Amino acid sequence: VNSLLYLHLGSETLLPACFCFNLDVTSQLFCPAERYALCQLSLLLSLQINPSDATLAEQVPEILIPWGSIASKGDGTLRRVKRDWVIPPINVPENSRGQFPEDLVRIRSDRDKNRMLRYSVTGPGADQPPTGIFIINSISGQLSVTKPLDREHISNFHLRAHAVDMNGNQVENPIDVIINVIDQNDNRPEFLHNVFNGSVPEGSKPGTFVMTVTAVDKDDPKTANGMVRYKILSQSPMSPSSSMFTINNRTGDIITMAAGLDREKVPQYTLILQATDMEGNPMYGLSNTATAVIRITDVNDNPPEFTADRFFGEVHENRVNVIVANLTVTDKDQPHTQAWSTIYRIISGDPTGRFAISTDPASNEGWLTIVKPVDFEQSRSFTLNVQAENEAPLAPGIQLSRQSTTVVSVHVLDVNESPEFSPNPKSIKLEEGLPAGTHLTTFTAQDPDRFMRQTIRYSKVSDPANWLKIDSVKGEISTTAVLDRESPFLRNDYYNATFIAFDDANPPASGTGTLQIFLMDINDNAPHVFPPEVEMCETPDPNAINITASDSDLRPNAGPFAFELANRPQDYKTPLNESLDSIGALASGIYQVPIMITDSGHLPMSKKSFLKVKVCPCDHHGDCVDMERIMAMGLGTGAIIGILLCIILLLVLVLLSVMWMKRRDKERQAKQLLIDPEDDVRDNILKYDEEGGGEEDQDYDLSQLQQPDALEAECIKVGIRRLDERPLHHDHQYPLRSAAPHPGDIGDFIHEGMQAADNDPTAPPYDSLLVFDYEGSGSSAGSLSSLHSSSCGDQDYDYLGDWGPRFRKLADLYGGGHD
């Protein structure tokens, strides 16, 4: 190691002070005496030291040399001190196979001559991870390695050596020990990928860059052990040349070497690559291999070519959006790319643009379609020149071939076409009021099929007012009724009718046409007063109203109108001039005023109209009041009679309904009372029709049907009901009569009982059994009352007189009064 120290003092020029440290492989230090003397002289000159100046002499630093140091003495002279405490870097080869531990170097201080010292090392590899790689003999200072080293793992170790006496006192400053691991070729080059993928366009020139491959070697790249070189071992396929590619042995760049790359012939190449260290030395270097796959990308170097020189197709006339013919091509380029996809163009034969060609993206076929209808009577065939091109432009130097153009022959087929009215719609102008049977016009259709012998017939499709008819052979249209402009079937004075024409082909074809008739107005409608009802105040002032007229005709057959009062002698007719005045005050009521109105048309028309005038009292604003009374006064005799008849009819229906209900009630009561004597109902339960009843309706009190001998003879009551029919509220107490009626009054008794039941709100429904007692002399029934009073004779019935005339009679009967 040669070291050169530059010292700069003030503004003096830099001068070298030479320190010579030469280290050989045996770790021995040496320096020739002549070089040392030269270095010492140079140092003294550069420092410009005055030996007589002790201060400057003390400023000279201590300089370590292999065998001692230079220091200044008190008299200004230099002395040398010998030292051994210097350890140079140690080189150890990796992967050593020697005996371990293997000695590396001996560390010794010259102060061990006078006393016993102990040595130790610290740092990574000694007392720090990875520990135990280096050990030292504490007495002799011998440093050893315990196992093989790996440069790729750790390339150098930095240790520090220590020397202490037996008491642990430091006798030397710690010194650095550098151990360098010397590299060996123990690693093969490794490619970054097993397979490298690249591409290059077909037809590329020699020298075109393709791709770069890379291999790495873990050995020292500064030595031959880590210097990698590349080469191509093989190429597949070997067409058109065995050396289509080459590789830069230092960078790994692959480039084309020969021309003739053609994707259509060879779409892909496979190269076997080798990487070797020791700068590619096949004898000493280590090698590894990888694969490079080079895909030849497509360029448009093949134009599309039609599979036939001529294509044929056919189409029916008047058809659109149908495929006429399929055009097929071949293209050697990559499928489904722009260099393969074909665009078809019609270059001649279709000046009006009736045809179009679209491309099927899957098959690359061309679909010739018709976009505008063709007419067989005008053109029976078409000859189209079609050219095929790719979406991408052709590569430089490539031209379209003759097969890129073809001819398409299209034959037009004739079909039965519908007859056509001309013009359609057809408009005519007529005056209204034309009589039935009038010839209007001829509306005919033409058959486009000039090469077919066909007959056309006509009929009517739409005629809203049923005014027209058409001759089925000639197409002549005439009227069947009077044409009226005021008809609701007209829109803006136009009447539309639709007719159909059909030929006699099989199947027949038909076409429709519309006839528009514009009807001009004539004075055929008389005016009438408008509005038909007005109001007028009964006071003389104000007592004038304005009137006008309405006419269905148009001007000049309508207004202005002339008004006059009608029903007067000719000499007394009064012109009104669209206003009506009353002479004096009028009584409130409704008046019918006849007015004659005349329009202004040529041959004017007049008509008498009745104006309904309501005369009413008015307020100070001139507005009518009390209109309800006036409206009632305005009812005619016929209306009053009709109302009365309706009222009478309604009353008759109500009376008939009441009588029918009374008769029905009597029939039900008669069926209950007129029972055959042999059919004794006592001790029996009779079930009648039950409309919605439940089990509670069959809970009868049988005790009411027994002989009433055990009851009190004087306690005779009327209005007996079944217990199951008693209402939830309190039953009315029916008082007793003091004496039984004469047996001859049984009919009156039953009639009165029926009336009482009908008027009693607590009476049972009509389908229930009503039982009345017979209180004549000799009756064995006794009392059937379900009201068991302890005493009957001491009751006071006078309070019944306060309930009305009906109950007053009962009070007389039971209280002992007179009838």
Side-chain angles (χ1 to χ4, degrees), residues 349-387:
D350 185 24
T352 59
R354 297 181 181 273
F355 298 91
I357 304 179
S358 59
T359 304
D360 181 11
S363 62
N364 212 24
E365 291 184 355
W367 294 338
L368 178 64
T369 59
I370 184 166
V371 295
K372 294 181 181 180
V374 296
D375 190 357
F376 175 81
E377 286 71 27
Q378 294 181 359
S379 300
R380 296 190 179 187
S381 64
F382 293 87
T383 301
L384 309 177
N385 291 321
V386 180
Q387 186 181 71

Side-chain angles (χ1 to χ4, degrees), residues 712-790:
E712 298 183 17
E714 68 275 11
C715 295
I716 306 299
K717 300 182 179 65
V718 297
I720 304 302
R721 296 188 302 271
R722 295 190 323 224
L723 292 178
D724 63 320
E725 296 175 351
R726 292 179 180 176
L728 296 178
H729 54 80
H730 297 288
D731 290 351
H732 294 285
Q733 296 295 332
Y734 295 93
L736 299 176
R737 285 184 284 180
S738 59
H742 192 276
D745 298 332
I746 186 62
D748 296 336
F749 171 74
I750 294 176
H751 182 67
E752 292 176 359
M754 291 176 61
Q755 290 183 348
D758 292 339
N759 297 327
D760 187 4
T762 62
Y766 291 119
D767 58 352
S768 301
L769 177 63
L770 296 178
V771 180
F772 299 90
D773 57 348
Y774 174 64
E775 298 179 348
S777 61
S779 173
S780 60
S783 177
L784 300 179
S785 175
S786 61
L787 302 176
H788 302 284
S789 302
S790 59

Side-chain angles (χ1 to χ4, degrees), residues 373-441:
V374 296
D375 190 357
F376 175 81
E377 286 71 27
Q378 294 181 359
S379 300
R380 296 190 179 187
S381 64
F382 293 87
T383 301
L384 309 177
N385 291 321
V386 180
Q387 186 181 71
E389 297 176 343
N390 292 127
E391 292 183 2
L394 290 172
I398 306 298
Q399 302 295 330
L400 289 174
S401 64
R402 184 185 63 83
Q403 291 81 8
S404 297
T405 305
T406 190
V407 176
V408 182
S409 297
V410 179
H411 178 63
V412 181
L413 303 178
D414 190 19
V415 296
N416 183 27
E417 299 178 77
S418 302
E420 298 177 355
F421 286 91
S422 181
N424 189 16
K426 183 177 182 180
S427 299
I428 60 175
K429 183 180 294 186
L430 302 171
E431 283 189 351
E432 66 172 332
L434 293 178
T438 302
H439 175 73
L440 301 183
T441 185

Side-chain angles (χ1 to χ4, degrees), residues 26 111 219 452 506 536 632 689 740:
T26 61
R111 296 184 181 182
D219 292 327
M452 298 182 182
N506 187 18
M536 177 181 288
D689 285 339

